[in-house]
Short mmCIF file of all heavy atoms in Angstrom, two decimals:
data_model
loop_
_atom_site.label_atom_id
_atom_site.label_comp_id
_atom_site.label_asym_id
_atom_site.label_seq_id
_atom_site.Cartn_x
_atom_site.Cartn_y
_atom_site.Cartn_z
N VAL A 718 8.16 -7.83 -13.72
CA VAL A 718 7.60 -6.90 -12.74
C VAL A 718 8.78 -6.43 -11.87
O VAL A 718 9.61 -7.25 -11.44
CB VAL A 718 6.56 -7.57 -11.83
CG1 VAL A 718 6.05 -6.60 -10.76
CG2 VAL A 718 5.39 -8.09 -12.66
N SER A 719 8.85 -5.14 -11.62
CA SER A 719 9.91 -4.64 -10.74
C SER A 719 9.29 -3.78 -9.64
O SER A 719 8.22 -3.20 -9.80
CB SER A 719 10.95 -3.84 -11.52
OG SER A 719 10.40 -2.67 -12.08
N PHE A 720 10.01 -3.72 -8.51
CA PHE A 720 9.55 -2.95 -7.36
C PHE A 720 10.73 -2.75 -6.43
O PHE A 720 11.78 -3.39 -6.57
CB PHE A 720 8.39 -3.66 -6.64
CG PHE A 720 8.67 -5.11 -6.34
CD1 PHE A 720 9.27 -5.50 -5.15
CD2 PHE A 720 8.32 -6.10 -7.26
CE1 PHE A 720 9.53 -6.84 -4.87
CE2 PHE A 720 8.58 -7.43 -7.00
CZ PHE A 720 9.18 -7.80 -5.81
N TRP A 721 10.54 -1.87 -5.47
CA TRP A 721 11.57 -1.61 -4.45
C TRP A 721 11.06 -2.06 -3.09
O TRP A 721 9.91 -1.78 -2.74
CB TRP A 721 11.93 -0.13 -4.42
CG TRP A 721 12.68 0.32 -5.64
CD1 TRP A 721 12.17 0.60 -6.88
CD2 TRP A 721 14.09 0.53 -5.75
NE1 TRP A 721 13.16 0.97 -7.75
CE2 TRP A 721 14.36 0.94 -7.07
CE3 TRP A 721 15.15 0.44 -4.85
CZ2 TRP A 721 15.65 1.24 -7.53
CZ3 TRP A 721 16.43 0.73 -5.28
CH2 TRP A 721 16.67 1.13 -6.61
N LEU A 722 11.92 -2.76 -2.35
CA LEU A 722 11.57 -3.25 -1.01
C LEU A 722 12.50 -2.63 0.02
O LEU A 722 13.70 -2.48 -0.22
CB LEU A 722 11.70 -4.76 -0.93
CG LEU A 722 10.57 -5.65 -1.46
CD1 LEU A 722 10.92 -7.11 -1.24
CD2 LEU A 722 9.25 -5.31 -0.82
N HIS A 723 11.93 -2.33 1.18
CA HIS A 723 12.68 -1.78 2.32
C HIS A 723 12.36 -2.68 3.51
O HIS A 723 11.19 -2.95 3.81
CB HIS A 723 12.23 -0.35 2.58
CG HIS A 723 12.95 0.39 3.66
ND1 HIS A 723 12.83 0.07 5.00
CD2 HIS A 723 13.79 1.46 3.60
CE1 HIS A 723 13.56 0.91 5.70
NE2 HIS A 723 14.16 1.76 4.89
N GLY A 724 13.39 -3.17 4.19
CA GLY A 724 13.18 -4.14 5.26
C GLY A 724 12.70 -3.58 6.57
O GLY A 724 12.60 -4.33 7.56
N GLY A 725 12.36 -2.28 6.64
CA GLY A 725 11.95 -1.70 7.91
C GLY A 725 13.11 -1.66 8.89
O GLY A 725 14.28 -1.74 8.50
N THR A 726 12.81 -1.58 10.13
CA THR A 726 13.88 -1.50 11.15
C THR A 726 14.51 -2.84 11.46
O THR A 726 15.58 -2.91 12.06
CB THR A 726 13.32 -0.89 12.45
OG1 THR A 726 12.23 -1.71 12.91
CG2 THR A 726 12.83 0.53 12.22
N VAL A 727 13.86 -3.93 11.03
CA VAL A 727 14.35 -5.27 11.36
C VAL A 727 14.98 -5.95 10.14
O VAL A 727 16.11 -6.44 10.19
CB VAL A 727 13.22 -6.15 11.93
CG1 VAL A 727 13.72 -7.57 12.21
CG2 VAL A 727 12.65 -5.52 13.20
N GLY A 728 14.27 -6.00 9.02
CA GLY A 728 14.75 -6.68 7.83
C GLY A 728 14.68 -8.19 7.97
O GLY A 728 14.22 -8.74 8.97
N GLY A 729 15.14 -8.88 6.92
CA GLY A 729 15.21 -10.34 6.97
C GLY A 729 13.90 -11.06 6.75
O GLY A 729 13.82 -12.27 6.99
N GLN A 730 12.85 -10.38 6.30
CA GLN A 730 11.58 -11.04 6.08
C GLN A 730 11.72 -12.13 5.00
O GLN A 730 12.44 -11.97 4.01
CB GLN A 730 10.52 -10.02 5.63
CG GLN A 730 10.13 -9.01 6.70
CD GLN A 730 11.06 -7.81 6.75
OE1 GLN A 730 12.05 -7.74 6.03
NE2 GLN A 730 10.72 -6.84 7.59
N GLN A 731 11.02 -13.23 5.21
CA GLN A 731 11.05 -14.35 4.25
C GLN A 731 9.85 -14.22 3.33
O GLN A 731 8.69 -14.40 3.75
CB GLN A 731 11.04 -15.69 4.99
CG GLN A 731 12.26 -15.88 5.89
CD GLN A 731 12.24 -17.22 6.59
OE1 GLN A 731 12.16 -18.27 5.97
NE2 GLN A 731 12.34 -17.18 7.92
N LEU A 732 10.13 -13.93 2.06
CA LEU A 732 9.08 -13.60 1.11
C LEU A 732 9.24 -14.39 -0.18
O LEU A 732 10.34 -14.79 -0.54
CB LEU A 732 9.10 -12.10 0.81
CG LEU A 732 8.99 -11.14 2.00
CD1 LEU A 732 9.25 -9.71 1.54
CD2 LEU A 732 7.63 -11.26 2.68
N GLN A 733 8.13 -14.56 -0.86
CA GLN A 733 8.12 -15.14 -2.19
C GLN A 733 7.05 -14.43 -3.02
O GLN A 733 6.23 -13.68 -2.47
CB GLN A 733 7.85 -16.64 -2.15
CG GLN A 733 6.49 -17.01 -1.58
CD GLN A 733 6.31 -18.51 -1.41
OE1 GLN A 733 7.25 -19.30 -1.58
NE2 GLN A 733 5.10 -18.94 -1.07
N MET A 734 7.06 -14.67 -4.32
CA MET A 734 6.12 -13.98 -5.20
C MET A 734 5.49 -14.99 -6.15
O MET A 734 6.15 -15.93 -6.62
CB MET A 734 6.88 -12.91 -6.00
CG MET A 734 6.02 -12.02 -6.85
SD MET A 734 7.06 -10.69 -7.54
CE MET A 734 5.86 -9.86 -8.57
N TYR A 735 4.20 -14.83 -6.43
CA TYR A 735 3.52 -15.65 -7.43
C TYR A 735 2.60 -14.75 -8.27
O TYR A 735 2.26 -13.65 -7.87
CB TYR A 735 2.74 -16.81 -6.78
CG TYR A 735 1.55 -16.40 -5.93
CD1 TYR A 735 0.31 -16.13 -6.51
CD2 TYR A 735 1.66 -16.31 -4.55
CE1 TYR A 735 -0.78 -15.75 -5.73
CE2 TYR A 735 0.59 -15.94 -3.77
CZ TYR A 735 -0.64 -15.66 -4.37
OH TYR A 735 -1.72 -15.28 -3.59
N GLY A 736 2.24 -15.25 -9.43
CA GLY A 736 1.38 -14.49 -10.33
C GLY A 736 -0.01 -15.10 -10.43
O GLY A 736 -0.25 -16.22 -9.98
N THR A 737 -0.93 -14.34 -11.06
CA THR A 737 -2.29 -14.84 -11.27
C THR A 737 -2.67 -14.68 -12.74
O THR A 737 -2.33 -13.69 -13.39
CB THR A 737 -3.32 -14.09 -10.41
OG1 THR A 737 -3.31 -12.69 -10.74
CG2 THR A 737 -3.00 -14.24 -8.93
N LEU A 738 -3.35 -15.68 -13.25
CA LEU A 738 -3.94 -15.65 -14.58
C LEU A 738 -5.44 -15.76 -14.45
O LEU A 738 -5.94 -16.67 -13.77
CB LEU A 738 -3.41 -16.80 -15.45
CG LEU A 738 -1.90 -16.78 -15.78
CD1 LEU A 738 -1.53 -18.01 -16.59
CD2 LEU A 738 -1.53 -15.51 -16.53
N ASN A 739 -6.14 -14.80 -15.04
CA ASN A 739 -7.60 -14.76 -14.94
C ASN A 739 -8.05 -14.88 -13.48
O ASN A 739 -8.99 -15.60 -13.16
CB ASN A 739 -8.24 -15.85 -15.81
CG ASN A 739 -9.70 -15.56 -16.11
OD1 ASN A 739 -10.16 -14.42 -16.01
ND2 ASN A 739 -10.44 -16.60 -16.46
N TYR A 740 -7.31 -14.21 -12.59
CA TYR A 740 -7.60 -14.10 -11.16
C TYR A 740 -7.38 -15.39 -10.39
O TYR A 740 -7.83 -15.52 -9.25
CB TYR A 740 -9.03 -13.57 -10.95
CG TYR A 740 -9.28 -12.30 -11.71
CD1 TYR A 740 -10.01 -12.31 -12.89
CD2 TYR A 740 -8.72 -11.09 -11.29
CE1 TYR A 740 -10.20 -11.13 -13.62
CE2 TYR A 740 -8.90 -9.92 -12.02
CZ TYR A 740 -9.64 -9.95 -13.18
OH TYR A 740 -9.81 -8.80 -13.90
N SER A 741 -6.65 -16.34 -10.99
CA SER A 741 -6.33 -17.59 -10.30
C SER A 741 -4.82 -17.66 -10.06
O SER A 741 -4.03 -17.42 -10.98
CB SER A 741 -6.77 -18.80 -11.12
OG SER A 741 -8.17 -18.82 -11.24
N ALA A 742 -4.43 -18.01 -8.83
CA ALA A 742 -3.02 -18.11 -8.49
C ALA A 742 -2.35 -19.23 -9.26
O ALA A 742 -2.93 -20.32 -9.43
CB ALA A 742 -2.86 -18.34 -6.99
N GLN A 743 -1.13 -18.98 -9.74
CA GLN A 743 -0.36 -20.00 -10.45
C GLN A 743 0.56 -20.72 -9.47
O GLN A 743 0.93 -20.20 -8.42
CB GLN A 743 0.44 -19.34 -11.56
CG GLN A 743 -0.43 -18.63 -12.58
CD GLN A 743 -1.45 -19.55 -13.22
OE1 GLN A 743 -1.11 -20.45 -13.98
NE2 GLN A 743 -2.72 -19.33 -12.89
N SER A 744 0.93 -21.94 -9.85
CA SER A 744 1.73 -22.76 -8.93
C SER A 744 3.18 -22.29 -8.82
O SER A 744 3.84 -22.53 -7.80
CB SER A 744 1.71 -24.23 -9.39
OG SER A 744 2.22 -24.34 -10.71
N ALA A 745 3.69 -21.62 -9.86
CA ALA A 745 5.08 -21.17 -9.83
C ALA A 745 5.25 -20.06 -8.79
O ALA A 745 4.41 -19.16 -8.67
CB ALA A 745 5.50 -20.66 -11.20
N SER A 746 6.32 -20.12 -8.03
CA SER A 746 6.62 -19.06 -7.07
C SER A 746 8.12 -18.76 -7.12
O SER A 746 8.93 -19.64 -7.44
CB SER A 746 6.21 -19.45 -5.65
OG SER A 746 6.92 -20.59 -5.22
N VAL A 747 8.45 -17.53 -6.83
CA VAL A 747 9.84 -17.07 -6.90
C VAL A 747 10.27 -16.59 -5.52
O VAL A 747 9.72 -15.62 -5.00
CB VAL A 747 9.99 -15.93 -7.92
CG1 VAL A 747 11.42 -15.41 -7.94
CG2 VAL A 747 9.57 -16.38 -9.31
N PRO A 748 11.26 -17.24 -4.89
CA PRO A 748 11.77 -16.73 -3.61
C PRO A 748 12.44 -15.38 -3.81
O PRO A 748 13.15 -15.16 -4.81
CB PRO A 748 12.79 -17.80 -3.19
CG PRO A 748 12.48 -19.00 -4.03
CD PRO A 748 11.93 -18.49 -5.31
N LEU A 749 12.22 -14.48 -2.88
CA LEU A 749 12.83 -13.15 -2.94
C LEU A 749 13.94 -13.05 -1.91
O LEU A 749 13.80 -13.54 -0.79
CB LEU A 749 11.78 -12.07 -2.68
CG LEU A 749 10.57 -12.04 -3.62
CD1 LEU A 749 9.60 -10.94 -3.20
CD2 LEU A 749 11.01 -11.83 -5.07
N ALA A 750 15.02 -12.43 -2.30
CA ALA A 750 16.10 -12.20 -1.34
C ALA A 750 15.58 -11.39 -0.17
O ALA A 750 14.76 -10.46 -0.34
CB ALA A 750 17.25 -11.46 -2.03
N ALA A 751 15.99 -11.74 1.03
CA ALA A 751 15.48 -11.08 2.23
C ALA A 751 15.77 -9.58 2.19
O ALA A 751 16.90 -9.17 1.91
CB ALA A 751 16.11 -11.70 3.48
N PRO A 752 14.75 -8.75 2.44
CA PRO A 752 14.99 -7.31 2.50
C PRO A 752 16.00 -6.96 3.60
O PRO A 752 16.10 -7.64 4.62
CB PRO A 752 13.60 -6.74 2.82
CG PRO A 752 12.64 -7.80 2.40
CD PRO A 752 13.34 -9.10 2.65
N VAL A 753 16.72 -5.87 3.36
CA VAL A 753 17.73 -5.41 4.31
C VAL A 753 17.14 -4.30 5.17
O VAL A 753 16.39 -3.45 4.69
CB VAL A 753 18.97 -4.89 3.56
CG1 VAL A 753 20.02 -4.35 4.52
CG2 VAL A 753 19.56 -6.00 2.69
N ALA A 754 17.45 -4.32 6.44
CA ALA A 754 16.94 -3.29 7.37
C ALA A 754 17.37 -1.90 6.92
O ALA A 754 18.52 -1.68 6.53
CB ALA A 754 17.44 -3.58 8.78
N ASN A 755 16.43 -0.99 6.95
CA ASN A 755 16.68 0.43 6.69
C ASN A 755 17.31 0.71 5.33
O ASN A 755 18.04 1.69 5.15
CB ASN A 755 17.58 1.03 7.80
CG ASN A 755 16.96 0.86 9.17
OD1 ASN A 755 15.79 1.19 9.40
ND2 ASN A 755 17.74 0.33 10.11
N THR A 756 17.02 -0.15 4.35
CA THR A 756 17.64 -0.02 3.04
C THR A 756 16.62 -0.35 1.95
O THR A 756 15.89 -1.34 2.07
CB THR A 756 18.85 -0.97 2.89
OG1 THR A 756 19.79 -0.69 3.92
CG2 THR A 756 19.51 -0.82 1.53
#
């Protein structure tokens, strides 16, 4: 899965991503690099 993130005027949000199978959340999660402000 790919997407573009913009950190807004502040940036640095702490985010992670997980997937769902048959509408149930999976235990695996992927930390995302902190978005950069205005980028």
